[in-house]
């Protein structure tokens, strides 16, 4: 366990940013093996082993942090569309923090259009007024 007083330092750290971007790069490279490795092996690797265990736990709040949206755009762009229909369980918390549970403040309004595009990429409906409360990734 990490002491609570160290969590804010982790979110601001360069090490966290490097971990996220390296994990995204690994996912991107793995997704390029599409067609060479069967989906039933490759999709769980990218979605569960990389995203759910290496990326998602370290996202603070994508609707409040533009650099996290940049990372998520890169990650989602690498995925074949067929992996997103239906939405994999590993991406459900991402859907929730981008749309239904997104914060309502000015920072969230600034990222609303980008979040909407990501939700469309994930084939998730989202109507105005569905923003929620905290916008944090849920486990």
């Amino acid at each position: 366990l990490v002491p609570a007083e160290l969590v804010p330092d982790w979110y601001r750290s360069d090490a966290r940013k490097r971990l996220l971007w390296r994990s995204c790069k690994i996912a991107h490279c793995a997704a390029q093996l599409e067609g060479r490795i069967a989906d039933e092996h490759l999709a769980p690797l990218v979605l569960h082993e990389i995203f759910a265990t290496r990326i998602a736990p370290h996202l603070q709040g994508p609707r409040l942090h533009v650099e996290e949206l940049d990372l998520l755009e890169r990650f989602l762009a690498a995925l074949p569309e067929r992996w997103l229909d239906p939405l994999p369980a590993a991406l459900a918390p991402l859907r929730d923090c981008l749309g239904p549970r997104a914060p309502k403040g000015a920072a969230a309004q600034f990222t609303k259009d980008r979040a909407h595009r990501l939700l469309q990429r994930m084939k998730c409906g989202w109507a105005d007024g569905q923003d929620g409360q905290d916008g944090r990734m849920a486990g």
Side-chain angles (χ1 to χ4, degrees):
L1 288 176
V2 177
E5 62 271 7
L6 295 180
V7 172
D9 290 338
W10 170 247
Y11 281 127
R12 288 190 299 268
S13 74
D14 288 337
R16 175 185 159 269
K17 292 174 188 168
R18 282 191 305 273
L19 171 72
L20 286 170
W21 279 104
R22 286 178 181 165
S23 298
C24 185
K25 183 176 182 176
I26 291 166
H28 186 266
C29 291
Q32 290 182 345
L33 295 171
E34 176 199 10
R36 295 184 183 134
I37 297 177
D39 281 356
E40 61 263 17
H41 300 293
L42 188 57
L45 171 72
V46 174
L47 297 170
H48 298 286
E49 301 302 321
I50 298 173
F51 182 77
T53 61
R54 295 181 58 125
I55 295 175
H58 300 288
L59 294 174
Q60 185 175 17
R63 284 292 300 276
L64 300 175
H65 302 281
V66 174
E67 65 277 359
E68 289 184 5
L69 277 180
D70 293 341
L71 176 106
L72 292 171
E73 284 177 342
R74 172 90 168 146
F75 174 80
L76 290 171
L79 303 181
E81 284 193 35
R82 68 181 173 280
W83 291 5
L84 300 172
D85 192 18
L87 186 70
L91 297 181
L94 177 59
R95 174 203 56 212
D96 294 345
C97 79
L98 290 175
R101 290 194 353 242
K104 293 185 182 206
Q109 288 302 316
F110 179 74
T111 62
K112 188 174 186 173
D113 290 339
R114 287 181 71 189
H116 187 206
R117 284 192 301 275
L118 290 177
L119 288 166
Q120 286 179 321
R121 170 78 174 115
M122 295 187 317
K123 303 191 183 319
C124 300
W126 182 39
D128 287 339
Q130 287 185 336
D131 288 354
Q133 297 301 316
D134 61 12
R136 294 193 184 274
M137 289 291 296

